[in-house]
Amino acid sequence: MRKTIVRLAALAACIVFSGSSYAKGKVNADRALAHAARQYLYMKNELKADNRFPKTYDKHMQQLKTSTSEWWCSGFYPGTLFYLYEATGNRELYDEAVRMLKWLEPEQYNVDTHDVGFMMGCSFGNACRIAPRPEYKEILVNSARSLISRFNPVVGCIKSHNRKPGDFVVIIDNMMNLELLFRAFRETGDSTFYTIAVKHADTTLKNHFRTDNSLYHGLNYDPETGKIKHYQAGQGFSEKSAWARGQAWGLYGYTMMYRFTGDRKYLDRAVGVAEFILNHPRMPKDRVPYWDYDAPGIPDALRDASAAVIDCSGLLELCRYVPEKQAVKYFQEAERMLQTLSSPTYTAEAGTNGGFILKHSVGNIPSGTEVDVPLTYADYYYVEALCRYKSLIDN
Ligand code: GLY
């Protein structure tokens, strides 16, 4: 299997289109990344070097909200700093990221959440990519072991939420955590990691999608039989609606599955989700979706910048795996998203917004939390998208 991964990486490198296939970039990615780096240095000073991780900013109280390392988003701050260090070469960003890794380390043994993939993959994963160290690799493998402790072979999935004993809730977001398992497989050669990632993705492929390629946010399985007990609205408007960030996790997650396995069915599904969102009659012209494609009150419903950036970064990978005409379309759609997101409507002015780069994300409307605020994962996938965009333009 290791050979398959190497072959796929080579294939991906060959099918990246030359810069000439894309129009000259319309987004000044260098400028956007330089601004983002300045914001994160400002945020670093606001944090005052303790063990708290940025979460969001309360503009009414003018207060940075923070969390401990246990919050599912703790890895995004160091992860963003690593991307910004790579983009700008500013060592202060790198040093701050490494400082935060120390506080994240205990999460490698956290078996209480599926989000250990986000927490450790986005932080230690990027650290390892930039400057591999044996201790980083060990932490990533331990984290992957924690993640697979939640796998149930009868259901064929890793459990997302801890509920009562007869419940086994799996949410689409969990697709994103599978990348950690491929990393662990690469480090150890232990095919258990690979097999579980594929099984989870296959079960989700079978059960989470509707015929129009839209997605349910959550499913509750019977852990004894593997049967679906019911569908859940989760963070979406209803169980029948298309929650914008859920669609984005699906697009990104199945594109990533294709990267690691080369299995065409994953690529087809990623394309299916991309076509669903891009052709949706309620996708706005500026390409930042409403928080749910079926949200009440459209066109006055809130937009979700976090869904847009995950879509954008996903499309900038997906465009590398599809025929040229389709690739150009996905690239241009992603570019349109970046144009909107890098405008003053979404990008905060220097020294405001608690140091967050983007404004106007939606965490969880049904529970009334993090509504129309900056969020760490919006910043993370925005910076990742800018880096991906830049590498396509520069090639
Ligand atoms: N993974 C949780 C969310 O997308 O809000």
Side-chain angles (χ1 to χ4, degrees):
M1 267 185 227
R2 193 185 290 277
K3 274 196 193 133
T4 312
I5 290 179
V6 173
R7 262 206 318 275
L8 279 167
L11 177 68
C14 293
I15 60 178
V16 169
F17 298 109
S18 67
S20 60
S21 296
Y22 301 119
K24 198 169 170 304
K26 291 178 181 158
V27 174
N28 189 333
D30 284 325
R31 192 168 62 198
L33 286 163
H35 174 74
R38 278 193 300 275
Q39 279 293 84
Y40 266 54
L41 289 173
Y42 171 78
M43 187 191 279
K44 164 184 174 284
N45 291 334
E46 295 291 292
L47 274 175
K48 301 185 181 39
D50 68 8
N51 60 351
R52 306 284 301 181
F53 292 77
K55 197 174 172 192
T56 184
Y57 179 69
D58 184 330
K59 64 179 180 220
H60 304 295
M61 309 279 287
Q62 299 195 344
Q63 198 176 47
L64 188 64
K65 296 282 178 195
T66 60
S67 74
T68 65
S69 62
E70 283 169 72
W71 177 239
W72 76 275
C73 300
S74 53
F76 293 121
Y77 174 60
T80 305
L81 288 162
F82 281 126
Y83 274 138
L84 290 173
Y85 162 69
E86 280 181 299
T88 64
N90 185 333
R91 187 78 198 183
E92 207 182 334
L93 295 159
Y94 184 81
D95 291 345
E96 171 68 354
V98 170
R99 181 183 77 79
M100 295 311 285
L101 292 186
K102 181 167 68 76
W103 299 110
L104 259 181
E105 267 185 38
E107 302 308 328
Q108 66 189 296
Y109 302 114
N110 187 341
V111 292
D112 285 333
T113 174
H114 69 150
D115 288 322
V116 71
F118 281 116
M119 294 151 85
M120 308 308 269
C122 299
S123 54
F124 284 93
N126 275 320
C128 214
R129 189 172 50 73
I130 295 172
R133 285 194 206 161
E135 62 270 30
Y136 291 165
K137 291 183 185 173
E138 197 185 321
I139 287 168
L140 285 165
V141 172
N142 288 339
S143 307
R145 287 209 177 94
S146 298
L147 183 57
I148 61 171
S149 73
R150 301 175 65 79
F151 180 70
N152 174 331
V154 178
V155 176
C157 275
I158 294 164
K159 183 163 67 172
S160 294
H161 296 316
N162 302 327
R163 299 281 192 260
K164 51 186 197 305
D167 288 345
F168 194 99
V169 175
V170 180
I171 59 174
I172 187 63
D173 324 29
N174 206 344
M175 286 299 302
M176 302 294 285
N177 292 306
L178 303 182
E179 187 163 356
L180 179 67
L181 302 186
F182 289 110
R183 285 180 200 271
F185 167 63
R186 202 166 49 205
E187 293 307 332
T188 60
D190 181 349
S191 60
T192 311
F193 295 115
Y194 190 102
T195 310
I196 290 179
V198 166
K199 184 69 189 165
H200 181 101
D202 287 350
T203 307
T204 302
L205 195 64
K206 186 161 123 245
N207 295 333
H208 253 84
F209 287 87
R210 307 185 185 103
T211 49
D212 62 358
N213 279 310
S214 70
L215 284 154
Y216 296 102
H217 184 197
L219 299 189
N220 193 356
Y221 293 96
D222 180 328
E224 306 294 334
T225 65
K227 291 216 170 83
I228 298 169
K229 295 205 295 184
H230 54 261
Y231 299 93
Q232 298 191 329
Q235 286 157 253
F237 169 59
S238 80
E239 67 182 45
K240 295 201 177 112
S241 73
W243 175 50
R245 194 161 59 255
Q247 314 310 298
W249 293 138
L251 194 173
Y252 191 118
Y254 280 98
T255 305
M256 178 271 294
M257 282 304 297
Y258 180 68
R259 183 201 321 154
F260 285 111
T261 65
D263 191 331
R264 179 83 210 190
K265 68 176 183 269
Y266 300 137
L267 180 63
D268 290 344
R269 191 58 85 169
V271 166
V273 183
E275 294 296 325
F276 172 81
I277 62 169
L278 296 174
N279 297 325
H280 199 287
R282 289 185 290 281
M283 171 60 114
K285 283 202 170 49
D286 65 14
R287 291 334 207 194
V288 175
Y290 298 101
W291 68 277
D292 191 305
Y293 291 91
D294 303 297
I298 290 174
D300 297 323
L302 288 173
R303 307 289 196 92
D304 181 9
S306 78
V309 293
I310 299 157
D311 285 335
C312 182
S313 192
L315 287 170
L316 289 169
E317 178 171 11
L318 188 57
C319 73
R320 297 167 55 196
Y321 307 142
V322 293
E324 183 156 7
K325 197 163 160 234
Q326 205 178 2
V328 171
K329 173 179 150 186
Y330 291 162
F331 174 83
Q332 287 172 345
E333 292 282 2
E335 185 173 59
R336 183 80 195 98
M337 291 172 183
L338 286 180
Q339 282 180 299
T340 309
L341 292 161
S342 60
S343 77
T345 308
Y346 286 93
T347 291
E349 272 178 47
T352 67
N353 209 32
F356 286 91
I357 308 160
L358 294 180
K359 306 178 275 187
H360 305 312
S361 286
V362 166
N364 191 338
I365 284 203
S367 76
T369 50
E370 300 184 334
V371 177
D372 196 20
V373 292
L375 289 168
T376 47
Y377 43 100
D379 283 2
Y380 178 87
Y381 290 102
Y382 175 60
V383 169
E384 182 182 85
L386 285 169
C387 295
R388 288 181 172 184
Y389 176 78
K390 204 167 123 52
S391 75
L392 288 169
I393 293 292
D394 289 350
N395 273 327

